[in-house]
Amino acid sequence: MNIAIAIDGPAGAGKSTIAKLAAKSLGFIYVDTGALYRTIGLCAYRNNICSKDVDAIIKMLEDMKVELAFNENHEQIVLLNGEDVSSLIRTPEISMYASDVSAIPRVRAFLLDLQRNMAKTNNIIMDGRDIGTVVLPDAKIKIFLTASAKVRAKRRYDELIEKGMDVKFEDVLSDVETRDYNDSHREVAPLKPADDSIIVDTSDLDLEQSVEKLLSIMKERM
Ligand code: DC
């Protein structure tokens, strides 16, 4: 039987960086489910479809294919109709599109099997918003990773600046707050800790300490 570890939490809590390192240390596959919603957001953006136009987005799903694959370094890549869009989905604009489309029940249903199938065939650490509550409710370990909005915005701001993007801290903070609100107030699969999840706040932890903390929780429970 494969082992599944769910890591949920708000944007910028460090889920992907921390989960990736933890997965490497355990020899598990790491799956970032946000990339799937981002890919649907990118597809809408490219087709000039407003991210709040539910009917048009649902129609768009009929002709789109989203796949996950892994490169030679075991890193996840996401394919939109066969094209590797892994880097193209990492812009602030697409973040907002992703947040909007992720509130559409049909979009969530569209991605459900893909996510569950990954867990059927691999030992996996899967990160998202609803992994412990909806996608993998039987996950062996569920962690809800969080940090204050300011700390999360500062981390994201530093990342974007490092990539050479011209952004203001206030805008990044406001994006984080808007996405938090959207993600936790939508009707389907809102962002919330599963009843049986362990809540880890990384506001006062650096990357190394966060990874250590997660690994110690995981090893204790496996
Ligand atoms: O983790 P991320 O920032 O890449 O996620 C992008 C958006 O997708 C985010 O606004 C919330 C949404 N999302 C979701 O609703 N459910 C998931 N399992 C993962 C992401």
Side-chain angles (χ1 to χ4, degrees):
M1 185 71 172
N2 292 303
I3 299 176
I5 300 177
I7 302 191
D8 292 301
K15 292 189 304 292
S16 61
T17 316
I18 297 168
K20 222 179 268 174
L21 290 168
K24 196 167 182 195
S25 162
L26 295 173
F28 281 27
I29 282 194
Y30 163 69
V31 172
D32 159 22
T33 61
L36 302 171
Y37 293 92
R38 287 172 179 271
T39 300
I40 294 184
L42 176 71
C43 191
Y45 178 80
R46 279 181 168 176
N47 286 291
N48 292 317
I49 296 172
C50 167
S51 54
K52 292 190 193 308
D53 185 342
V54 176
D55 291 340
I57 303 268
I58 290 174
K59 181 103 192 50
M60 180 188 87
L61 296 176
E62 286 170 16
D63 301 317
M64 80 179 279
K65 192 164 167 205
V66 181
E67 292 162 292
L68 284 180
F70 295 89
N71 67 17
E72 62 280 7
N73 298 322
H74 306 285
E75 290 159 348
Q76 169 184 301
I77 52 178
V78 62
L79 305 169
L80 169 60
N81 300 325
E83 174 194 354
D84 179 357
V85 294
S86 311
S87 335
L88 297 174
I89 55 176
R90 302 283 159 202
T91 65
E93 218 157 19
I94 299 304
S95 298
M96 276 304 164
Y97 263 71
S99 182
D100 284 344
V101 300
S102 72
I104 303 171
R106 287 280 283 278
V107 167
R108 306 200 71 83
F110 178 80
L111 295 173
L112 199 53
D113 282 349
L114 170 59
Q115 296 172 85
R116 287 190 174 152
N117 287 340
M118 297 300 300
K120 274 188 196 148
T121 41
N122 303 286
N123 284 331
I124 204 168
I125 296 188
M126 188 174 278
D127 109 33
R129 304 293 190 285
D130 61 338
I131 310 304
T133 50
V134 177
V135 179
L136 304 174
D138 297 327
K140 186 159 177 72
I141 302 168
K142 299 180 185 178
I143 292 170
F144 192 85
L145 202 66
T146 188
S148 73
K150 272 218 171 102
V151 167
R152 290 185 283 120
K154 175 73 171 66
R155 290 176 185 162
R156 182 106 337 161
Y157 172 78
D158 290 345
E159 258 171 46
L160 294 170
I161 292 290
E162 198 168 308
K163 281 187 193 158
M165 289 186 187
D166 179 22
V167 286
K168 288 203 187 77
F169 175 73
E170 293 68 34
D171 293 340
V172 178
L173 177 61
S174 149
D175 272 11
V176 164
E177 288 171 341
T178 308
R179 283 215 288 151
D180 278 0
Y181 185 87
N182 290 349
D183 295 348
S184 42
H185 286 79
R186 64 177 177 228
E187 273 175 34
V188 240
L191 169 67
K192 63 164 193 214
D195 291 339
D196 50 351
S197 69
I198 303 155
I199 298 182
V200 177
D201 188 322
T202 66
S203 300
D204 298 321
L205 303 179
D206 65 20
L207 179 60
E208 202 178 318
Q209 292 166 327
S210 306
V211 175
E212 254 171 45
K213 172 129 196 163
L214 251 65
L215 281 173
S216 80
I217 294 172
M218 291 168 184
K219 286 178 179 160
E220 197 184 297
R221 274 151 221 265
M222 271 196 309

